[in-house]
Amino acid sequence: MPAIDASADAPATVAGLLDALAGPGWHVDPAFLDADAVAALRAECLRAHAAGTFHAAGVGRGQARVNAGIRGDQVLWLDPDSAGPAGMAILDRLEDLRRAVNRDLCLGLFDLELHFAHYPPGAGYQRHLDRFRDDDRRALTVILYLNEAWRPEHGGQLRFWPEADGEPLDIEPRAGTLVTFLSDRFWHEVLPTRQARLSVTGWFRRR
Ligand code: OGA
Ligand code: MN
């Protein structure tokens, strides 16, 4: 009789993610979203960007301060009022993830702030932590990449430090890859990109 797995009812990818978050606290799933779903989400992102609805991303709580030397991306917040069908589908997937994490890991995730991010050529984001000094509600970061046929020479890798004083690893921002990590623990940066680089990025927050 096999041992009972607490996450037996979760899809395989979610089960692996839950194990990783309970252990090292970070996870990379190269196939969270299939090619059709990525293409639909990418099209929504590009349509909104072409319509001029994005704004320069800020730094710090409320993202009020824009500093292109620290981060050069533009963002559009994604919520049920603004999302198209593909945006709604990803919000639903992430809601399933929130419930699974709360059930298995008791993180008390309450809500999700989520945005599309568009890095134009030349843009990056300097090394940082996702939790603000004056606001500790961000608990779990999720980043989903929307870049088809991405190659290493396009740049834009997520440089991620599993240990603050250890060697970083570089994660390619390839279509369908989902990166998750505990927001207060892991230093990371976005290396300068040479092509327009698209993602959906968000933070599950505690109350
Ligand atoms: C962020 C961030 C990383 C990425 O938006 O806080 O670190 O790979 N993004 O887009
Ligand atoms: Mn970050």
Side-chain angles (χ1 to χ4, degrees), residues 97-177:
L97 182 62
R98 186 185 73 82
R99 286 165 194 265
V101 168
N102 279 350
R103 191 187 53 224
D104 278 28
L105 306 177
C106 303
L107 281 188
L109 305 179
F110 172 66
D111 68 2
L112 172 67
E113 321 174 90
L114 191 70
H115 62 51
F116 283 123
H118 178 279
Y119 288 73
Y125 190 165
Q126 285 181 13
R127 190 176 194 262
H128 66 280
L129 289 172
D130 279 353
R131 182 169 285 186
F132 304 128
R133 237 164 309 177
D134 57 350
D135 183 346
D136 63 0
R137 282 176 300 169
R138 285 183 170 183
L140 182 65
T141 300
V142 289
I143 311 166
L144 173 64
Y145 298 112
L146 308 179
N147 307 297
E148 285 150 7
W150 198 263
R151 294 201 306 271
E153 59 269 31
H154 295 153
Q157 289 82 4
L158 173 66
R159 182 159 286 175
F160 183 87
W161 281 263
E163 312 284 345
D165 49 5
E167 284 296 303
L169 41 116
D170 288 349
I171 299 162
E172 298 289 339
R174 283 201 203 100
T177 296

Side-chain angles (χ1 to χ4, degrees), residues 1-2 4 12 19-20 23 37 45 49 55 71 86 93 104 114 120 128 131 148 169 171 176 186:
M1 182 99 169
I4 292 171
D19 282 349
C45 179
H49 188 262
H55 60 273
R71 63 184 295 190
R93 280 277 310 263
D104 278 28
L114 191 70
H128 66 280
R131 182 169 285 186
E148 285 150 7
L169 41 116
I171 299 162
F186 299 100

Side-chain angles (χ1 to χ4, degrees), residues 54-77:
F54 281 52
H55 60 273
V59 291
R61 187 179 178 188
Q63 316 243 340
R65 288 167 290 134
V66 171
N67 185 334
I70 295 178
R71 63 184 295 190
D73 57 327
Q74 293 189 315
V75 302
L76 174 66
W77 294 101

